[in-house]
């Protein structure tokens, strides 16, 4: 399993507006996003009790996750900044295949738009959880329940955005080979997992649903894809060569 695209799969970039050192740094922003997303996700305590749970259950939950949910929300916000820079590099890479691969440009725009929606949705969801648990078990359980339950909407919006994002980059990768083709398969699996979570709105958002578990494999696919493509982008930028300027021949 290689992390590099197939030879000749990328078109040469027309312009290099940034120094190569900065290009390599921006490429690694995807790896930074993946790490921050994982940490923020597991620290946030986003698995809330059922809406019909007792007040004591909601107080207990808020007391347990309160100390760490604020850290998780902060990490996801930092990760979101890194992700925005990363998707810009992804859009550039997908766009480079547009002259030779049909629909590559359209898929690139769809991926960029989906990425913006996805990161905004998950950021809002984790901030809602942090807000609900900020005072721990001392807060009014009615307020805890109301604010925490409101995170269901942003979570589904995040799933919508990431489904579009991963679906677009997966299809584009399989068609153009801009990234290792196995990452395209991972992206499509993640897109399907996020699509499954939409069905939680049908069975009810106030209780655990088997469809809601699609969010976890979707997040894991997003993390794996981000790390792999970040490394591929990093390797695609040749290192800057520094050395003494060539000396002119003496007459």
């Amino acid at each position: 399993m290689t992390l590099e695209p197939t030879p000749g799969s990328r078109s040469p970039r027309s312009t290099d507006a940034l120094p190569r050192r900065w290009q390599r740094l921006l490429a690694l922003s995807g790896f930074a996003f993946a790490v921050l997303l994982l940490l923020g996700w597991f620290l946030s305590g986003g698995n809330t009790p059922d809406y019909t749970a007792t007040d004591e259950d909601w107080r207990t939950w808020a007391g347990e996750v309160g100390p760490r949910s604020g850290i998780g929300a902060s990490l996801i916000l930092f990760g979101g900044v890194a992700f925005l820079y990363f998707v810009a590099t992804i859009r550039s890479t997908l766009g480079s295949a547009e002259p030779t691969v049909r629909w590559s440009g359209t898929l690139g725009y769809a991926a960029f738009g989906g990425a913006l929606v996805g990161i905004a949705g998950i950021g809002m969801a984790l901030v809602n959880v942090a807000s609900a648990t900020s005072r721990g078990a001392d807060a009014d359980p009615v307020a805890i329940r109301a604010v925490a339950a409101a995170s269901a909407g942003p979570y589904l919006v995040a799933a919508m955005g990431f489904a579009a994002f991963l679906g677009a980059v997966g299809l584009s990768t399989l068609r153009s080979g801009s990234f290792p083709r196995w990452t395209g398969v991972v992206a499509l699996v993640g897109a399907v997992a996020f699509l499954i979570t939409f069905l939680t709105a049908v069975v009810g958002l106030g209780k655990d649903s088997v469809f809601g578990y699609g969010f976890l494999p979707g997040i894991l696919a997003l993390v794996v894809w981000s790390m792999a493509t970040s490394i591929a982008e990093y390797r695609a930028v040749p290192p800057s060569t520094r050395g003494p300027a060539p000396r002119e021949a003496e007459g």
Side-chain angles (χ1 to χ4, degrees), residues 4-191:
E4 294 185 359
T6 55
S9 60
R10 291 195 191 183
S11 302
R13 300 185 181 185
S14 57
T15 59
D16 285 328
L18 292 174
R20 289 177 179 176
R21 179 182 301 177
W22 283 99
Q23 292 180 44
R24 290 164 74 88
L25 183 62
L26 287 177
L28 290 179
S29 60
F31 200 95
F33 157 72
V35 173
L36 291 171
L37 174 63
L38 273 182
L39 291 175
W41 170 261
F42 285 111
L43 286 174
S44 70
N47 187 19
T48 61
D50 288 348
Y51 192 77
T52 56
T54 65
D55 289 350
E56 187 60 31
D57 288 337
W58 281 97
R59 283 198 184 97
T60 301
W61 171 76
E64 290 176 350
V65 306
R68 66 177 191 267
S69 62
I71 299 175
S74 296
L75 290 177
I76 198 65
L77 293 176
F78 283 115
V81 173
F83 186 64
L84 293 177
Y85 283 102
F86 182 56
V87 295
T89 66
I90 296 300
R91 169 69 189 97
S92 177
T93 299
L94 296 181
S96 67
E98 188 171 1
T100 56
V101 180
R102 192 176 183 184
W103 305 112
S104 179
T106 301
L107 290 173
Y109 285 118
F112 189 76
L116 298 183
V117 173
I119 197 62
I122 197 169
M124 291 175 64
L126 296 193
V127 168
N128 271 3
V129 172
S131 177
T133 60
S134 59
R135 296 190 61 186
D138 296 330
D140 183 346
V142 176
I144 296 174
R145 179 189 288 108
V147 177
S151 65
Y155 269 124
L156 286 182
V157 170
M160 177 183 68
F162 287 139
F165 171 66
L166 290 176
V169 295
L171 290 174
S172 181
T173 297
L174 294 179
R175 288 175 58 86
S176 67
S178 297
F179 297 107
R181 294 189 184 277
W182 68 267
T183 65
V185 176
V186 170
L188 291 177
V189 170

Side-chain angles (χ1 to χ4, degrees), residues 37 162 166 186-187 189-194 197 213-224:
L37 174 63
F162 287 139
L166 290 176
V186 170
V189 170
V192 172
F194 280 123
T197 64
Y213 291 106
F215 205 90
L216 179 58
I219 287 290
L220 292 179
L222 176 62
V223 166
V224 171

